[in-house]
Amino acid sequence: MLTPRTTTGLPAAESLQAALALIDTEARALFGQGKVADYIPALAQVQPRQFGMAVALVDGSTYQVGDAHTPFSLQSITKLFTFVLALKAIGDDVWKRVGREPSGAAFNSMVQLETEHGIPRNPFINAGALVITDILTTRYAHLDYALLGALRRLTDDPELSWNAAVAKSERDTAHRNMAMAYFMKSHGNFANPPELVLDNYCRQCATEMNCTQLAQATMFLANGGRDLGRDGRPDEQFLSADDARRVNALLLTCGAYDAAGDFAYRIGLPVKTGVGGGIVAIAPGVGTIAVWAPELDAKGNSVLGAFALERLVQLTGWNHT
């Protein structure tokens, strides 16, 4: 367990940085136990043996180790941000079109759509994220810029963008996602042309951040919906405290594909994973943790990322706060 702690109850800088250095050393010993996502050709080109980790605390301090400043493709982590935008836009009406239960199936499975009449189990599997993107496509003429605008504000980085080559690679191979979109449209759960929604969805998934930016961008979920002001910008109530709590609950139960139960057991924090190798975790009242390592396990989650988060909660006890 980390010691000492400051008067705020947060760990002292020296002990937290030492813990990150230890985790970095231990995690890198696991290189080679997974493989990069190869079903998206552009992601198959990512150099596998990389590891970065960043922690942002609610007092405004940040800590990094390894490749924490290397940009990577967020992929399914963006489903968290689009869901939050939809929740802000239409509130509880979102639940008329998507559920909030764990799926227990692969993130790109179509099986449940057949038996559940085109209503996806939750907004973090592909089918659910497509419905969320459809909702936002109706609301925004240029969803890609609306999403980037929110993310640039949360990271204080006006240059944040999406990778056009990755977006095209995804769009060219999005056959299963297109099939899901048309199937849901046949059940009346899709308002826009699937082609347009898929364009938006693939650009969304191709958004790039580094670990430090991702930890900062999710701070509102650790801080009662309130984003911390930086560089002279005041704090902002980005999401209500009640909605932040609800989003965290959904991340805990549904944020790691069909490994959500294992993540809850091993790590005990709300998380969102992505096949780009990133994972973001929320420690309510404490801070956020972002980790990136491109080598994935069979369920599409980062091998080193899951290990690093488990080690961090062992060292900090943040899953008991």
Side-chain angles (χ1 to χ4, degrees):
M1 191 80 57
L2 278 186
T3 55
R5 296 172 83 84
T6 67
T7 56
T8 64
L10 301 177
E14 296 80 4
S15 58
L16 181 54
Q17 194 63 58
L20 292 181
L22 174 64
I23 292 168
D24 181 62
T25 299
E26 294 177 344
R28 289 175 184 273
L30 303 178
F31 280 147
Q33 295 193 15
K35 63 177 185 176
V36 299
D38 55 10
Y39 66 96
I40 299 171
L43 294 186
Q45 306 305 313
V46 174
Q47 202 281 322
R49 297 195 169 203
Q50 301 184 76
F51 174 80
M53 191 171 189
V55 174
L57 300 181
V58 294
D59 66 1
S61 59
T62 59
Y63 305 86
Q64 304 88 21
V65 73
D67 302 305
H69 293 289
T70 301
F72 62 91
S73 186
L74 290 185
Q75 294 298 311
S76 284
I77 295 175
T78 61
K79 296 172 182 176
L80 160 61
F81 297 109
T82 51
F83 171 64
V84 167
L85 288 183
L87 195 61
K88 284 163 64 77
I90 66 172
D92 283 348
D93 282 349
V94 72
W95 305 121
K96 296 176 180 178
R97 298 187 54 188
V98 65
R100 49 180 184 259
E101 296 293 337
S103 69
F107 63 90
N108 59 354
S109 174
M110 298 179 63
V111 174
Q112 289 167 338
L113 288 177
E114 177 71 35
T115 58
E116 297 176 6
H117 312 292
I119 303 294
R121 277 284 177 92
N122 65 70
F124 299 145
I125 55 175
N126 283 18
L130 286 167
V131 168
I132 295 297
T133 304
D134 182 56
I135 291 170
L136 295 175
T137 297
T138 297
R139 187 169 184 87
Y140 296 106
H142 298 284
L143 172 55
D144 47 354
Y145 292 111
L147 175 60
L148 280 179
L151 295 178
R152 286 169 177 172
R153 188 165 73 250
L154 290 170
T155 59
D156 290 308
D157 183 357
E159 303 301 319
L160 193 76
S161 192
W162 45 272
N163 186 309
V166 173
K168 182 180 186 304
S169 183
E170 290 197 58
R171 187 65 178 84
D172 290 345
T173 55
H175 314 303
R176 179 180 288 265
N177 284 335
M178 184 66 77
M180 282 189 247
Y182 270 105
F183 187 83
M184 290 185 290
K185 194 169 184 67
S186 75
H187 279 277
N189 196 22
F190 226 76
N192 295 283
E195 292 80 4
L196 174 60
V197 175
L198 259 292
D199 287 345
N200 282 333
Y201 178 77
C202 291
R203 285 194 289 266
Q204 159 198 321
C205 288
T207 304
E208 292 185 333
M209 282 189 197
N210 61 43
C211 289
T212 302
Q213 291 171 323
L214 181 56
Q216 291 174 343
T218 49
M219 176 56 65
F220 68 95
L221 290 174
N223 197 35
R226 196 168 188 80
D227 180 46
L228 294 179
R230 289 176 291 274
D231 299 326
R233 180 175 63 81
D235 288 6
E236 174 188 359
Q237 193 70 39
F238 188 75
L239 191 66
S240 75
D242 282 345
D243 279 342
R245 176 181 55 78
R246 293 179 181 119
V247 171
N248 284 334
L250 201 63
L251 289 173
L252 181 65
T253 57
C254 306
Y257 308 137
D258 49 330
D262 184 58
F263 268 67
Y265 180 84
R266 291 170 52 196
I267 297 165
L269 295 176
V271 303
K272 186 68 198 84
T273 66
V275 297
I279 308 176
V280 64
I282 314 299
V286 177
T288 56
I289 310 103
V291 61
W292 170 64
E295 295 178 326
L296 309 178
D297 63 19
K299 294 184 183 296
N301 297 314
S302 172
V303 174
L304 274 67
F307 167 82
L309 287 172
E310 185 173 14
R311 284 293 285 134
L312 187 67
V313 298
Q314 288 171 355
L315 292 168
T316 62
W318 286 351
N319 55 348
H320 302 301
T321 54

